Amino acid sequence: MQTRATPATAAPLERFNTAPAAEAAQTLLACLHSRAWTHRLVAHRPYPDLPALLAAADEAAYDLSPDDLTEALAAEPRPALPEDTYAAAHTALNAAHAAYESRFGHVFVISLDDLSTNEALNHVLAAIRSRLNNDLDEERLVAAEELRHLARGRLISTLRGAGNCATSH
């Protein structure tokens, strides 16, 4: 008799599905700091597979209220720069972040998944400059979409056993 291999996500997803609600909530809050998003995902456990959880996470992220979005944005760190980035780049990026935060009242969020370290800096600078032209409502939509991408990537990383959501960007 042949046995089927279980996907790499089975054990972490099973742990998530069976964890006490408070523990599952802590895992999710580290991925996206929204109590509404977290509550919704915890309440709908168990998930049959990772794609089902990711679909639920996406749907819950699309449904964030303005207050939920504010809560999530308040907990987001700035995108990290590579260690060997030139001082001038740090200065330029810090100035861009300050301008963005002054205009919109929250940190700049962006998903850098699938970008090399060298591409990330240019991508962040170009995106901040571009998004500074957005009006407040338009930028909230863009930021919400970036948060959804970040949460998705962090969830995938965590449930593939790669670590804590809070350490994944």
Side-chain angles (χ1 to χ4, degrees), residues 1 11 27 42 64 66 76 141 145 148:
M1 177 169 93
T27 297
V42 169
L64 291 176
E76 280 297 313
L141 291 173
E145 183 64 12
R148 187 186 68 75

Side-chain angles (χ1 to χ4, degrees), residues 9-162:
T9 58
L13 181 61
E14 182 61 26
R15 282 193 301 275
F16 172 77
N17 279 333
T18 60
E23 184 180 320
Q26 284 306 113
T27 297
L28 292 170
L29 283 169
C31 294
L32 181 67
H33 195 84
S34 165
R35 289 172 293 180
W37 181 81
T38 296
H39 176 73
R40 185 166 164 182
L41 293 176
V42 169
H44 288 96
R45 294 179 307 158
Y47 295 94
D49 52 31
L50 184 57
L53 172 57
L54 294 174
D58 283 348
E59 184 179 328
Y62 287 127
D63 291 342
L64 291 176
S65 73
D67 287 343
D68 299 331
L69 183 57
T70 297
E71 175 189 27
L73 285 167
E76 280 297 313
R78 284 183 175 181
L81 277 180
E83 292 291 325
D84 62 346
T85 303
Y86 293 109
H90 278 281
T91 301
L93 194 56
N94 286 336
H97 277 296
Y100 180 92
E101 290 170 18
S102 175
R103 174 149 167 68
F104 297 112
H106 59 81
V107 299
F108 176 78
V109 292
I110 190 165
S111 174
L112 299 174
D113 292 346
D114 302 324
L115 291 177
S116 73
T117 303
N118 295 335
E119 295 171 311
L121 175 62
N122 289 334
H123 186 74
V124 169
L125 280 169
I128 289 176
R129 289 181 182 136
S130 171
R131 287 169 54 185
L132 277 168
N133 295 315
N134 291 346
D135 64 35
L136 294 175
D137 291 334
E138 183 179 20
E139 183 54 27
R140 278 188 92 64
L141 291 173
V142 174
E145 183 64 12
E146 291 296 334
L147 281 174
R148 187 186 68 75
H149 284 289
L150 287 167
R152 178 180 249 279
R154 291 168 181 166
L155 228 106
I156 289 169
S157 178
T158 296
L159 294 180
R160 288 203 172 133

